[in-house]
């Protein structure tokens, strides 16, 4: 699928700082050490409703990682999927009396508009589940052939499942114990009580066709892909094993990322799908996780329609650390708007304090597991001084404008 137009990235003087990120699997902040091309896969939306602030927070977080990679001179091969075949799509399409394909296309279009407005750099490969069915069929065939998968004994619905014990390292990504795995498996799309499964945790790879559900032909019979194999196949076929960053919200740690990894590891015989597993905290509203199923949503498109500057939304989202579960509240947005106004005012100054130290601190904090509260504070300090007329560097405002644009993705340039 086509993605969306990326904003240009100005160059920023001074030395870049290699990034260190928290890895869910190793439970530590570790250096990310990409080659010339940094490789990143981030789980995309299920397009049955509009982008909310939780999605936006997650994609803005990985956008910062993308920007820090580029600042360090790497090309970035960024891949994102769209889960455009899934139960919620069918349910919503039936409820609204529209075709599930039209619903998916409409919400994906809106997502592209939201990402463009939020100045998120586009993925190089933006791949829908429907587009990748052949890849999934091939992967499931291989998993069956090498004994990692089996067909349930059900003549009517011969679904294919992945054996949880196909790899010896299963469980390393989340580090969860059996009880936690069982709980999240049941809560997050798993089917522990499906008759015929060998282990309650075995994950669906290929769902045999049911009446009223779309299906595609395959050597396993007509059906549709399971969820985790979609991300495994899309990532593996574009980035290979041991790519740099696998990302998404913390709600995907288990079962989704554990099984995406296990599928790829069972396919290749290699031990580690991604070198870094990076997860964002959950954005909530009114005390609960913001989610389409709960309906407690603040939509990016609604804020845009109300005239809110997306740069202020970005600053609001970056005002707390990405790994913290956090609430989206009116004061968060008001604070983002206030900060944006101050930075823009400072950016109009004809001079300010020398920018080198501020830019160095901005880079240092971002590369320290995306410490955005400190990164924003570094720019706040420069802006406060510039507004007070402190400092005589005539080039500083331009350098700060470029750094805030390139590294934070926020546009504070005076409108000419
Ligand atoms: N299509 C799958 C991933 S393959 C999916 O989870 N789609 S989603 O539309 O539900 O979520 C899209 C992305 O936003 C995922 O990375 C998810 O972890 C993240 N996300 C969902 N809700 C929130 C939230 N409240 N706060 C932060 N991130 C969220
Ligand atoms: Zn995914």
């Amino acid at each position: 699928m086509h993605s969306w137009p990326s904003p240009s990235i100005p160059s920023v003087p001074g030395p870049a700082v290699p990034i260190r990120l928290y890895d869910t699997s190793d439970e530590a902040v570790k250096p990310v050490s990409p080659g010339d091309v940094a490789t990143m896969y981030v789980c995309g939306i299920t397009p049955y409703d509009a982008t909310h602030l939780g999605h936006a927070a997650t994609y803005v977080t990985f956008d910062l990682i993308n920007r820090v990679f580029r600042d360090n001179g790497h090309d970035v091969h960024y891949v994102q999927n769209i889960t455009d075949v899934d139960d919620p799509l069918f349910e919503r399409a039936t409820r609204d009396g529209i075709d599930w394909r039209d619903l998916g296309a409409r919400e994906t279009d809106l997502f592209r508009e939201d990402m463009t407005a939020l100045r998120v750099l586009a993925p190089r490969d933006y791949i829908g589940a429907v587009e990748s069915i052949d890849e999934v069929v091939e992967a499931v065939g291989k998993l069956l052939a090498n004994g990692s998968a089996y067909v349930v004994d059900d003549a009517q619905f011969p679904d294919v499942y992945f054996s949880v014990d196909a790899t010896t390292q299963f469980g390393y990504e989340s580090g969860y114990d059996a009880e936690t795995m069982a709980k999240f498996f049941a809560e997050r799309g798993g089917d522990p009580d499906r008759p015929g499964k060998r282990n309650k945790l075995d994950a669906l790879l290929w769902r045999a066709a049911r009446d009223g559900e779309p299906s595609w032909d395959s050597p396993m019979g007509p059906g549709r892909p399971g969820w985790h194999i979609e991300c495994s196949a899309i990532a593996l076929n574009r980035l290979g094993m041991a790519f740099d960053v696998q990302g998404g919200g913390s709600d995907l740690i288990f079962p989704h990322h554990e099984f995406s990894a296990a599928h790829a590891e069972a396919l290749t015989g290699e031990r580690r799908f991604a070198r870094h597993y990076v997860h964002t905290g959950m954005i909530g509203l009114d005390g609960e996780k913001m989610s389409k199923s709960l309906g407690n949503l603040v939509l990016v498109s609604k804020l845009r329609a109300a005239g809110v500057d997306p740069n202020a939304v970005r600053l609001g989202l970056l005002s707390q650390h990405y790994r913290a579960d956090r609430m989206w509240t009116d004061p968060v947005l008001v604070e983002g708007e206030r900060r944006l106004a101050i930075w823009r005012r400072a950016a109009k100054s004809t001079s300010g304090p020398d920018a080198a130290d501020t830019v160095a601190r901005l880079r240092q904090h971002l590369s320290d597991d995306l410490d955005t509260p400190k990164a924003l504070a570094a720019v706040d300090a420069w802006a406060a001084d510039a507004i007070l007329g402190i400092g005589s560097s005539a080039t500083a405002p331009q350098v700060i404008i470029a750094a805030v644009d390139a590294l934070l993705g926020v546009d504070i340039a005076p409108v000419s």
Side-chain angles (χ1 to χ4, degrees), residues 25 29 36 60 143 197 222 226 245 247 255 257 270 273 332 369 383-384 399:
S25 170
V29 176
D36 290 346
V60 165
L143 290 169
K197 280 173 62 169
V245 171
H257 286 173
E270 290 178 39
F273 185 42
V332 171
D369 195 29
V399 174

Side-chain angles (χ1 to χ4, degrees), residues 43-46 54-55 58-59 81 83 227 249 251 256 283 290 292:
C43 282
I45 54 161
T46 306
H55 305 134
T58 289
Y59 298 115
N81 69 309
T83 308
W227 175 27
D251 56 340
H256 185 52
I283 299 288
M290 197 178 282
K292 288 179 271 205

Side-chain angles (χ1 to χ4, degrees), residues 47-389:
Y48 72 95
D49 206 337
T51 319
H52 60 61
L53 266 295
H55 305 134
T58 289
Y59 298 115
V60 165
T61 298
F62 289 97
D63 188 52
L64 293 191
I65 297 173
N66 193 342
R67 287 168 182 275
V68 174
F69 281 152
R70 286 165 196 268
D71 190 45
N72 277 274
H74 302 288
D75 275 341
V76 181
H77 189 169
Y78 178 20
V79 182
Q80 193 179 123
N81 69 309
I82 312 140
T83 308
D84 56 6
V85 183
D86 203 1
D87 297 329
L89 247 108
F90 310 146
E91 286 158 18
R92 181 63 62 93
T94 305
R95 188 197 80 177
D96 295 353
I98 54 173
D99 187 283
W100 62 273
R101 278 164 290 237
D102 295 337
L103 174 65
R106 185 184 80 197
E107 297 304 338
T108 304
D109 276 343
L110 188 59
F111 178 73
R112 291 188 186 97
E113 281 175 29
D114 290 338
M115 291 299 106
T116 308
L118 287 168
R119 309 185 85 240
V120 171
L121 301 173
R124 187 193 295 181
D125 297 315
Y126 191 44
I127 311 291
V130 173
E131 277 178 321
S132 59
I133 297 233
D134 288 350
E135 299 177 38
V136 168
V137 167
E138 192 190 339
V140 176
K142 282 188 187 160
L143 290 169
L144 279 167
N146 77 11
S148 303
Y150 61 94
V151 183
V152 288
D153 186 13
D154 178 336
Q156 196 184 7
F157 301 123
D159 302 328
V160 183
Y161 280 86
F162 178 81
S163 295
V164 69
D165 51 13
T167 63
T168 50
Q169 67 274 23
F170 185 86
Y172 80 90
E173 182 268 343
S174 64
Y176 291 163
D177 59 22
E179 198 184 329
T180 312
M181 286 187 188
K183 173 175 145 51
F184 285 142
F185 188 81
E187 283 176 15
R188 298 175 178 166
D191 52 358
D193 300 321
R194 165 43 160 138
K197 280 173 62 169
R198 294 177 187 165
N199 186 310
K200 280 176 179 290
L201 277 187
D202 291 349
L204 181 69
L205 287 169
W206 187 255
R207 178 174 160 89
R210 281 16 180 214
D211 272 355
E213 292 183 10
S215 62
W216 289 262
D217 282 336
S218 84
M220 297 84 69
R224 62 178 165 104
W227 175 27
H228 320 306
I229 192 66
E230 167 193 340
C231 287
S232 270
I234 294 174
L236 191 57
N237 289 338
R238 284 156 191 84
L239 303 176
M241 289 297 279
F243 59 91
D244 293 307
V245 171
Q246 153 78 313
S250 59
D251 56 340
L252 300 185
I253 294 173
F254 192 90
H256 185 52
H257 286 173
E258 192 79 65
F259 276 104
S260 297
H263 294 342
E265 289 155 13
L267 277 166
T268 60
E270 290 178 39
R271 283 189 71 84
R272 192 152 168 147
F273 185 42
R275 287 148 64 111
H276 247 87
Y277 296 96
V278 178
H279 294 102
T280 56
M282 289 292 107
I283 299 288
L285 183 74
D286 303 331
E288 292 236 51
K289 174 190 160 188
M290 197 178 282
S291 77
K292 288 179 271 205
S293 50
L294 288 173
N296 57 339
L297 306 178
V298 178
L299 302 182
V300 176
S301 44
K302 286 252 169 72
L303 290 178
R304 288 198 287 122
V308 173
D309 189 324
N311 289 286
V313 175
R314 234 181 126 105
L315 284 173
L317 293 172
L318 298 179
S319 64
Q320 294 175 66
H321 195 260
Y322 79 95
R323 281 198 279 126
D325 290 336
R326 52 215 196 272
M327 291 294 144
W328 179 262
T329 59
D330 284 342
V332 171
L333 178 58
V334 170
E335 173 78 7
E337 290 176 320
R338 193 190 61 87
R339 180 173 265 133
L340 182 65
I342 292 172
W343 288 11
R344 283 191 169 150
R345 200 171 138 211
K348 278 194 209 148
S349 311
T350 48
S351 63
D354 186 75
D357 178 54
T358 304
V359 172
R361 283 165 59 205
L362 181 57
R363 282 182 163 131
Q364 200 65 51
H365 294 314
L366 281 180
S367 291
D368 178 14
D369 195 29
L370 300 179
D371 190 341
T372 54
K374 284 193 186 149
L376 299 195
V379 180
D380 287 341
W382 182 89
D385 283 355
I387 288 170
L388 287 174

